[in-house]
């Protein structure tokens, strides 16, 4: 729904046209006309000298919000193993649920995945909603959307958190649309808005130049996807227990329009699995040319880790975007992050600064990366890396 121009009041000054960051206002017969490109950002409202532009009144709540109770975390699993992001979100969901004085539940969907429930309780869940069956063996948009939509309509949660992974980014918006609510995608922080008690979803906006905090006052559930590795996985407490609620899945084979024929690994999955890697070796523009990335790959292989890249290296076409670390790439938190020929721009640090140990190799002693590094090597990365690889190989052989 766009902002509204009162044509009687509009004096045709054009101030709103040049202010609109989305080019959403055109002049027709000396009157401002708002087009479909309007995002209701509100910038034009303040500049209109005669107060001709107003925001549409907020609609009535589309849901009886008091009926919706509890915080849910969708647990993404692959081949029967829960992804880390599920645990990270249980940790964060626990804080939200405690602040809201409500229960925390994990939503587990798969084939033969009931055993994972105990880990959900250990991470902090009070309940697990379990849908188990052969239809759910592999993630499919249709089956999982039907399953979660049905759970929401039956049990009415107030909040749902999902990982901003490939599956979560596919599932979240589709479920939100089916149940008639909004979704804040790719959040980097969560909290409770003091005034309203609603979840405050924070995410980068306008190309990462500002952080926006978004509330969902009128619709339920409040939904969002959260980047992996933004939050730490909680320490498991194996003494915790909870209730498993088994829910019969209503999906029939005919509901799944996409048939999975074969899973093909098009990339070296180990080197790409940045979000779960314990070691990451990342290269930047300082690697000089794409061929030199073989050193990064070799060190990553020796350490059993993944390969990262700065945006400069990705933009130069030296590595595919799947390897990019940073604000517009992946957020990672390995035990060890080795930054090679990376200057340490704020946007790169945003994706890796929570790594346990950061090692930087850079020929410029004043490179900003050294301020964030636990260990620094000042030198030419093309000379340092071969030595490092050899020494680690020797160490491994002697173990
Ligand atoms: P440079 O900044 O060019 O640094 C290269 C470094 O290599 C220098 O410090 C140099 O001293 C060193 N060097 C050169 N040769 C050698 C050598 N032989 N041996 C050792 N060291 C050497 N960037 C990201 O990485 N990820 C993001 O997600 C991201 N998102 C962004 C979002 C926005 C909105 C914007 C505006 C920018 C974003 N950027 C991002 C870009 C970021 O600002 C930097 O431009 C980028 O991180 C720089 O990459 P770099 O460190 O590889 O290159
Ligand atoms: Fe443009 Fe924002 Fe005004 Fe919409 S509200 S017309 S997007 S300035
Ligand atoms: Fe009309 Fe106000 Fe826009 Fe000027 S700023 S063109 S008065 S709507």
């Amino acid at each position: 729904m766009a902002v509204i121009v009162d044509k009687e009041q509009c004096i045709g000054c054009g101030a709103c046209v040049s202010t609109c960051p989305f080019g959403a206002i055109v002049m027709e017969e000396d009157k401002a006309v708002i087009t479909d490109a309007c995002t209701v950002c509100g910038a034009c409202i303040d500049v209109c000298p005669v107060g001709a532009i107003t925001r549409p009144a907020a609609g009535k709540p589309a849901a009886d919000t008091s009926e919706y109770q509890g915080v849910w975390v969708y647990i993404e699993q692959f081949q029967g193993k829960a992804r880390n992001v599920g645990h990270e979100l249980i940790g964060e969901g626990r804080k939200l649920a405690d602040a809201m004085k409500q229960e925390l539940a994990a939503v587990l969907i798969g084939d033969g995945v009931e055993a994972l429930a105990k880990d959900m309780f250990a991470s902090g869940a009070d309940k697990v909603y379990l849908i188990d069956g052969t239809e759910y063996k592999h993630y499919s948009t249709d089956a999982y959307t039907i399953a979660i939509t049905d759970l929401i309509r039956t049990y009415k949660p107030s909040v749902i958190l999902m990982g901003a992974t490939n599956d979560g980014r596919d599932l979240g918006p589709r479920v939100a649309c089916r149940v008639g609510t909004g979704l804040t995608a790719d959040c980097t922080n969560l909290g409770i808005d003091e005034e309203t008690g609603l979840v405050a979803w924070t995410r980068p906006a306008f190309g990462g130049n500002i952080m926006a905090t978004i509330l969902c006052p009128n619709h339920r559930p409040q939904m969002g996807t959260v980047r992996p590795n933004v939050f730490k996985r909680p320490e498991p407490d194996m003494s915790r227990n909870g209730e498993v609620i088994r829910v019969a899945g209503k999906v029939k084979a005919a509901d799944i329009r996409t048939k999975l024929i074969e899973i093909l690994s098009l990339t070296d999955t180990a080197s790409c699995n940045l979000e779960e890697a314990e070691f990451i070796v990342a290269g930047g523009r300082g690697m000089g040319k794409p061929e030199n990335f073989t050193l990064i790959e070799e060190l990553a292989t020796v350490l059993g880790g993944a390969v990262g890249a700065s945006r400069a290296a990705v933009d130069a076409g030296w590595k595919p975007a799947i390897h990019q670390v940073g604000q517009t790439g992946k957020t990672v938190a390995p035990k060890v992050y080795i930054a090679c020929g990376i200057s340490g721009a704020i946007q790169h640090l945003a994706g890796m600064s929570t790594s346990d140990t950061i090692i930087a190799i850079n020929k410029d002693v004043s490179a900003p990366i050294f301020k964030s590094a636990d260990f620094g090597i000042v030198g030419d990365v093309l000379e340092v890396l071969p030595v490092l690889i050899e020494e680690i190989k020797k160490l491994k052989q002697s173990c």
Side-chain angles (χ1 to χ4, degrees), residues 135-136 142-143 146 249-257 259:
E135 303 82 6
Y136 309 104
D142 287 326
I146 294 169
K250 293 188 180 158
V251 172
K252 296 181 283 302
D255 293 329
I256 306 172
R257 291 168 295 176
K259 304 291 172 226

Side-chain angles (χ1 to χ4, degrees), residues 3 19-22 24-25 34 37-45:
V3 293
T19 301
C20 177
F22 300 97
I25 311 179
I34 311 292
C38 175
T39 63
V40 201
C41 73
C44 57
I45 297 172

Side-chain angles (χ1 to χ4, degrees), residues 262-318:
E262 194 182 353
I263 299 176
L264 295 172
S265 186
L266 294 178
T267 47
D268 169 4
T269 42
S271 83
C272 292
N273 191 6
L274 289 146
E275 280 144 354
E276 312 229 328
E278 294 200 340
F279 291 88
I280 293 178
V281 188
R285 206 191 320 255
M287 293 307 297
K289 54 183 178 178
E291 294 76 23
N292 292 337
F293 258 80
T294 50
L295 288 169
I296 301 280
E297 280 143 21
E298 197 177 347
L299 182 54
T301 306
V302 173
L303 293 170
V307 172
S310 72
R311 179 156 143 182
V314 169
D315 286 351
W318 298 353

Side-chain angles (χ1 to χ4, degrees), residues 72-142:
W72 284 11
V73 175
Y74 166 67
I75 303 301
E76 186 175 327
Q77 55 84 21
F78 180 63
Q79 297 180 338
K81 193 170 175 281
R83 291 205 191 272
N84 267 340
V85 67
H87 290 281
E88 292 159 18
L89 294 185
I90 289 183
E92 209 51 28
R94 182 74 267 163
K95 291 182 203 159
L96 295 178
D98 289 346
M100 295 163 71
K101 299 192 174 37
Q102 295 184 11
E103 277 184 332
L104 174 69
V107 175
L108 197 51
I109 303 174
D111 183 20
V113 291
E114 182 163 359
L116 299 179
K118 68 176 187 326
D119 296 332
M120 305 308 137
F121 298 134
S123 285
D126 302 312
K127 281 181 181 167
V128 169
Y129 290 97
L130 174 72
I131 299 187
D132 206 300
T134 49
E135 303 82 6
Y136 309 104
K137 184 172 176 64
H138 299 289
Y139 172 78
S140 81
T141 310
D142 287 326

Side-chain angles (χ1 to χ4, degrees), residues 155-175:
Y155 295 98
K156 297 187 174 5
S158 178
V159 178
I160 305 185
L161 309 177
M162 291 184 180
T165 56
N166 289 343
D167 288 0
R169 284 171 173 158
D170 179 55
L171 184 63
R174 198 167 290 252
V175 170

